[in-house]
Amino acid sequence: MFGYLSCHLDKYHPQSIISFASQQFALNENSKENGCIQIQQTGILDEWKTTAVALLKIPKSIELFRLYLSRLSQNINENGTVLCGFMTRNFTPAWLKLAETYFENVSQSRAHKKARVLILKNPKPKSDILIQEYTDDKGVLWKQYLGVFSAGRIDYASQFLMEEIVLPKIDVAVDVGSGNGVLGKFIHEHYPESEVHLTDDNYLAVESGKLNVNAENVYHHFSRDLSFLKDNSCDLVVTNPPFHFEYEINMDVAFQIFKDALRVLKNNGELWIVANNNLPYKPELLKSFSNCEVKAQNRRFIIYKCVK
């Protein structure tokens, strides 16, 4: 995912299909460190160079796996092979059923160190609709690419935050980990004259956000951090930060968001966070924000407001 295979295959002029800004950053850093100059980078939704062999780590989201398989079946040679690695403990028969809709020949390797490979041959290219649609309780139509968080409904955490937040007067706001743009659109609707930035590490999320919220003063960023914003430039940062990295719980991304928010907020600027109750965010927030309080809480979620 972060360039290990691409660097080892450098002499074969590999394509690295980019889905995440953090992946792209790590690939670039590892390529420089190892003197790799042949790696080509292509976005997941862009045109790919037809290839004979493709390597893929099966993602946790089966809908994202569907999107990958759809794109691969259209870009693999007729006699090509797709090798999909996975940990045996994560296997589900649904993977096989899904793979068989895109490839005629689907088989598995033997297990090695608790890992296996799904081997796909003879693609069945077909035109898929890679965008899902749903209508929320207010009759608003939402669109997003397969595999983007919370398909089919507005996620409960973001809904809770929108019900409880008291928006300050803002000139510049940023939604970090913006997903399909729910929070960014909420802010824009309340302050249509204000500058609103939506940013996500996930390219498919950024492209989904563009489907749902657009205006001259709304900006979408495919970025692993808030480096595109100047110090002391924002009045409001909102976030429903991710805490999973595939099958692992990982709060490093959330902690980095807190630090970035402190940098970009103006004095008296506000950071609003919604999170699962069990996540220990408060001690980390207090390292950066002395003014941090719980503004609302229910059975599943908690909302923090921090003032710089």
Side-chain angles (χ1 to χ4, degrees):
M1 176 179 255
F2 296 109
Y4 178 84
L5 292 175
S6 294
C7 288
H8 278 282
L9 296 171
D10 184 51
K11 65 180 180 180
Y12 298 105
H13 305 262
Q15 292 181 90
S16 182
I17 307 303
I18 301 299
S19 299
F20 299 92
S22 53
Q23 168 197 7
Q24 187 174 44
F25 174 82
L27 173 61
N28 290 336
E29 290 298 302
N30 289 324
S31 297
K32 284 190 287 185
E33 184 71 23
N34 292 282
C36 301
I37 59 174
Q38 307 293 343
I39 301 170
Q40 301 178 38
Q41 297 183 25
T42 306
I44 183 65
L45 297 177
D46 297 333
E47 291 297 321
W48 303 1
K49 181 177 67 177
T50 304
T51 186
V53 179
L55 308 176
L56 168 69
K57 180 181 177 182
I58 297 180
K60 182 179 180 180
S61 165
I62 195 163
E63 288 302 312
L64 183 57
F65 188 33
R66 179 189 299 276
L67 185 143
Y68 288 163
L69 290 177
S70 177
R71 300 290 289 127
L72 284 165
S73 68
Q74 296 173 38
N75 291 279
I76 197 79
N77 291 344
E78 183 178 350
N79 297 317
T81 302
V82 179
L83 303 175
C84 308
F86 63 94
M87 299 304 295
T88 301
R89 66 176 180 271
N90 299 327
F91 175 78
T92 168
W95 289 349
L96 296 178
K97 186 176 180 180
L98 181 60
E100 287 167 355
T101 67
Y102 293 96
F103 291 85
E104 297 283 358
N105 189 329
V106 178
S107 60
Q108 295 183 61
S109 71
R110 292 184 177 182
H112 177 69
K113 294 185 177 180
K114 301 181 180 180
R116 297 166 76 178
V117 174
L118 203 60
I119 305 165
L120 314 180
K121 296 182 179 181
N122 304 116
K124 300 190 285 188
K126 57 180 183 176
S127 297
D128 268 358
I129 297 175
L130 302 180
I131 296 175
Q132 298 171 310
E133 297 183 355
Y134 67 91
T135 303
D136 66 19
D137 295 339
K138 297 180 180 179
V140 177
L141 178 66
W142 294 90
K143 299 179 181 182
Q144 63 188 64
Y145 283 92
L146 297 178
V148 174
F149 175 65
S150 193
R153 58 172 173 79
I154 294 177
D155 70 279
Y156 297 123
S158 293
Q159 184 64 50
F160 183 44
L161 179 58
M162 289 187 291
E163 292 169 356
E164 298 294 337
I165 191 171
V166 179
L167 288 173
K169 180 65 178 72
I170 57 175
D171 293 315
V172 181
V174 56
D175 173 12
V176 186
S178 52
N180 68 0
V182 168
L183 294 177
K185 186 170 185 175
F186 173 79
I187 295 169
H188 175 65
E189 288 177 342
H190 281 76
Y191 288 101
E193 302 303 319
S194 298
E195 186 177 303
V196 180
H197 297 265
L198 289 79
T199 181
D200 206 296
D201 184 57
N202 184 339
Y203 180 72
L204 293 171
V206 174
E207 293 305 303
S208 297
K210 292 177 182 178
L211 298 174
N212 296 312
V213 51
N214 276 292
E216 289 186 0
N217 54 347
V218 172
Y219 304 90
H220 298 268
H221 305 271
F222 175 47
S223 179
R224 59 187 281 271
D225 54 28
L226 297 182
S227 57
F228 57 88
L229 290 169
K230 296 180 180 179
D231 294 359
N232 308 304
S233 61
C234 298
D235 304 284
L236 174 69
V237 176
V238 298
T239 184
N240 176 9
F243 61 94
H244 283 106
F245 183 78
E246 288 292 304
Y247 295 94
E248 301 176 3
I249 292 179
N250 187 319
M251 292 178 286
D252 291 345
V253 172
F255 293 167
Q256 186 59 50
I257 290 172
F258 304 159
K259 294 176 183 176
D260 287 350
L262 180 67
R263 180 185 65 80
V264 303
L265 281 171
K266 301 173 184 176
N267 288 334
N268 296 314
E270 298 179 5
L271 166 65
W272 286 75
I273 304 144
V274 62
N276 287 47
N277 280 325
N278 62 314
L279 298 173
Y281 285 168
K282 186 72 175 287
E284 191 68 23
L285 287 166
L286 288 172
K287 292 179 181 178
S288 300
F289 297 87
S290 57
N291 187 344
C292 180
E293 59 180 320
V294 174
K295 298 301 292 183
Q297 189 169 7
N298 62 20
R299 184 173 55 86
R300 295 179 59 187
F301 304 110
I302 187 168
I303 295 173
Y304 300 101
K305 173 189 174 184
C306 303
V307 181
K308 180 174 175 179

